[in-house]
């Protein structure tokens, strides 16, 4: 039987979107596909408040993270690490032989603009990586304010992992000076896994022409060549593209972008208030996520037992703490197409199980 997902990705997918996956296949080198591609482009640009091209990667977000650093670093990259996925970006950078350094910050603390400015003043770096929304900790870094710092350094590219934030919280790519903003669609987009979207700036494309290519599949100039024809460079995940087109149309024209952000904010505040009443919140106050809350297990509950009870008795799934936070915390995703009523029902069920 279907488990309703309140995990921080993958997320619950509406039946209307699942039906799109069974649409009859079309050839990806046709005018029909290009029309779909252009429609998706238009709505992604609206969602991200950008005039930049938005590439479609038939890969997990890790692939686009790899593309960012293999195409965008000529001198040296600085990876800001305050969670599992920002650390992954550092590992990706190292494994690809890209010169890099890591700035490690406690996982419950945000990356502060002052720290970014201090590091960039050294002149050692021409790119930085930051995670907007750390899925592992429920912490949202101040990307807008960091972007204002990066703008002071003309040669520095600003690369942002927005995986569990995009489509659930406002991201103004152009105003904030983001050179790559990437996200997999299996989180706040509320779509089946298999696609990643990434906005790419002119500065990043220029840098990619200068950098010695380290990748064929993730080569941005080659991807851009096909993008200009309203095509993907290689055979894309066509069923997921049908679903993405439908979801973007619903977000932009049915729910409305601002209304979607407001709904996510409402769900986040409800979960956070509940967490403060019964437990505590792991992330630093003032930097709580709009899409996932990491709830500190200060009551010493059996987190695995809670998860198993929710699954076995109620067909509901939440997530344990990630990595070192396993059993020390649990995570509730409040993103995608979930409603406040869904969230209230989940939390009432947890209260009943734990006799809170």
């Amino acid at each position: 039987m279907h488990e309703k997902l309140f995990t921080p990705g993958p997320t619950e997918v509406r039946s209307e979107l699942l039906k799109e996956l069974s649409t009859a296949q079309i050839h990806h080198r046709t005018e029909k596909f290009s029309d779909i591609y252009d429609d998706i482009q238009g709505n992604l640009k609206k969602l991200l408040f950008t005039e930049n091209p938005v590439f479609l990667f038939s890969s997990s977000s890790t692939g686009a993270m790899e593309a960012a650093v293999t195409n965008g670093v000529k001198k040296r990259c600085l990876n800001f690490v305050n969670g599992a996925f920002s650390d992954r970006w550092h590992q990706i950078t190292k494994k690809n032989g890209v010169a890099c350094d890591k700035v490690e910050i406690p996982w419950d603390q945000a990356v502060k603009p002052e720290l970014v400015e201090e590091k960039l003043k050294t002149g050692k770096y021409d790119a930085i990586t930051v995670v907007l929304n750390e899925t592992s900790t429920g912490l949202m870094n101040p990307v807008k304010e960091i972007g204002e710092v990066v703008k002071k350094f003309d040669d520095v590219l600003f690369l942002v992992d927005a995986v569990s934030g995009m489509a659930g919280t406002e991201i103004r790519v152009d105003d904030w000076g983001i050179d790559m903003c990437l996200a997999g669609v299996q989180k706040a987009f509320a779509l089946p896994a298999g696609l990643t979207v990434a906005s790419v700036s002119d500065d990043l494309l220029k840098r990619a022409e200068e950098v010695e290519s380290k990748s064929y599949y993730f080569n941005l100039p080659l991807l851009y060549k096909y993008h200009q024809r309203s095509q993907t460079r290689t055979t894309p995940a066509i069923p997921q593209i049908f679903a993405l087109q439908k979801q973007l149309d619903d977000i932009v024209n049915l729910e409305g972008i601002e209304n979607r952000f407001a709904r996510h904010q409402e769900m986040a505040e409800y979960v956070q208030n509940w967490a403060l009443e019964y437990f505590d919140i792991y992330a630093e106050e003032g930097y709580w996520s709009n899409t996932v809350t990491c709830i500190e297990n200060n009551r010493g509950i059996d987190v695995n037992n809670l998860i198993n009870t929710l699954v076995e008795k109620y067909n509901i799934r939440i997530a344990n703490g990630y990595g070192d936070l396993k059993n020390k915390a649990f995570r509730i995703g409040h993103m995608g197409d979930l409603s406040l009523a869904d969230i209230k029902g989940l939390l009432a069920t947890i209260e009943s199980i734990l006799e809170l």
Side-chain angles (χ1 to χ4, degrees), residues 40-265:
I40 287 171
Q41 277 296 303
N43 283 332
L44 281 172
K45 287 180 176 184
K46 290 175 185 176
L47 180 68
L48 296 175
F49 300 92
T50 186
E51 294 302 317
N52 291 337
V54 187
F55 292 172
L56 305 183
F57 292 84
S58 290
S59 77
S60 69
S61 302
T62 303
M65 294 163 80
E66 185 164 306
V69 293
T70 55
N71 288 267
V73 182
K74 191 175 180 182
K75 185 164 60 176
R76 196 169 192 87
C77 185
L78 187 59
N79 307 119
F80 286 91
V81 174
N82 64 334
F85 296 97
S86 46
D87 185 61
R88 176 181 293 185
W89 216 345
H90 178 60
Q91 298 305 320
I92 291 167
T93 312
K94 279 204 309 182
K95 291 286 187 187
N96 278 282
V98 176
C100 62
D101 293 317
K102 172 169 71 168
V103 178
E104 194 141 22
I105 297 149
W107 280 25
D108 62 344
Q109 302 292 307
V111 177
K112 304 299 196 304
E114 300 79 21
L115 176 63
V116 176
E117 185 157 16
E118 175 194 325
K119 297 297 181 182
L120 291 184
K121 278 181 175 177
T122 65
K124 290 171 61 178
Y125 307 103
D126 62 357
I128 68 167
T129 66
V130 175
V131 171
L132 168 72
N133 194 76
E134 261 292 354
T135 315
S136 61
T137 62
L139 185 147
M140 191 169 283
N141 284 308
V143 165
K144 176 183 177 182
E145 291 77 9
I146 294 169
E148 291 302 316
V149 169
V150 178
K151 287 175 188 177
K152 298 177 185 179
F153 302 88
D154 290 340
D155 63 333
V156 177
L157 296 182
F158 188 21
L159 311 174
V160 175
D161 164 351
V163 172
S164 57
M166 191 186 292
T169 193
E170 182 180 75
I171 304 170
R172 292 185 173 266
V173 163
D174 292 356
D175 289 351
W176 299 357
I178 302 173
D179 292 290
M180 182 185 271
C181 189
L182 66 97
V185 300
Q186 76 279 9
K187 294 186 185 282
F189 280 95
L191 288 166
L195 275 181
T196 295
V197 304
S199 66
V200 177
S201 72
D202 287 343
D203 286 345
L204 175 53
L205 287 171
K206 287 173 189 170
R207 177 73 57 79
E209 293 281 6
E210 300 167 0
V211 171
E212 183 180 350
S213 179
K214 290 182 171 62
S215 176
Y216 178 80
Y217 187 72
F218 295 121
N219 184 291
L220 293 184
L222 291 176
L223 289 168
Y224 185 56
K225 179 181 173 183
Y226 282 83
H227 167 84
Q228 291 173 296
R229 306 174 192 167
S230 302
Q231 301 255 307
T232 57
R233 180 163 155 250
T234 54
T235 307
I238 295 170
Q240 280 86 350
I241 286 173
F242 287 137
L244 176 60
Q245 183 188 30
K246 164 68 173 165
Q247 179 67 313
L248 284 169
D249 185 60
D250 287 351
I251 289 171
V252 172
N253 299 311
L254 192 62
E255 181 173 26
I257 293 170
E258 298 298 338
N259 290 335
R260 188 176 186 84
F261 297 157
R263 175 169 56 80
H264 278 77
Q265 183 67 43

Side-chain angles (χ1 to χ4, degrees), residues 281-340:
I281 294 174
Y282 176 75
E284 177 181 5
E285 188 170 0
Y287 300 94
W288 296 339
S289 167
N290 283 347
T291 57
V292 54
T293 299
C294 183
I295 299 170
E296 199 170 331
N297 182 18
N298 59 355
R299 302 174 77 103
I301 68 164
D302 185 332
V303 174
N304 271 330
N305 185 62
L306 172 61
I307 292 170
N308 292 337
T309 303
L310 283 167
V311 170
E312 292 164 9
K313 292 191 174 180
Y314 302 97
N315 291 304
I316 293 170
R317 185 175 288 277
I318 63 171
N320 207 322
Y322 193 96
D324 290 344
L325 295 178
K326 189 172 184 179
N327 300 321
K328 298 175 185 175
F330 58 96
R331 292 172 297 150
I332 293 176
H334 33 84
M335 66 175 87
D337 291 331
L338 294 173
S339 68
L340 183 60

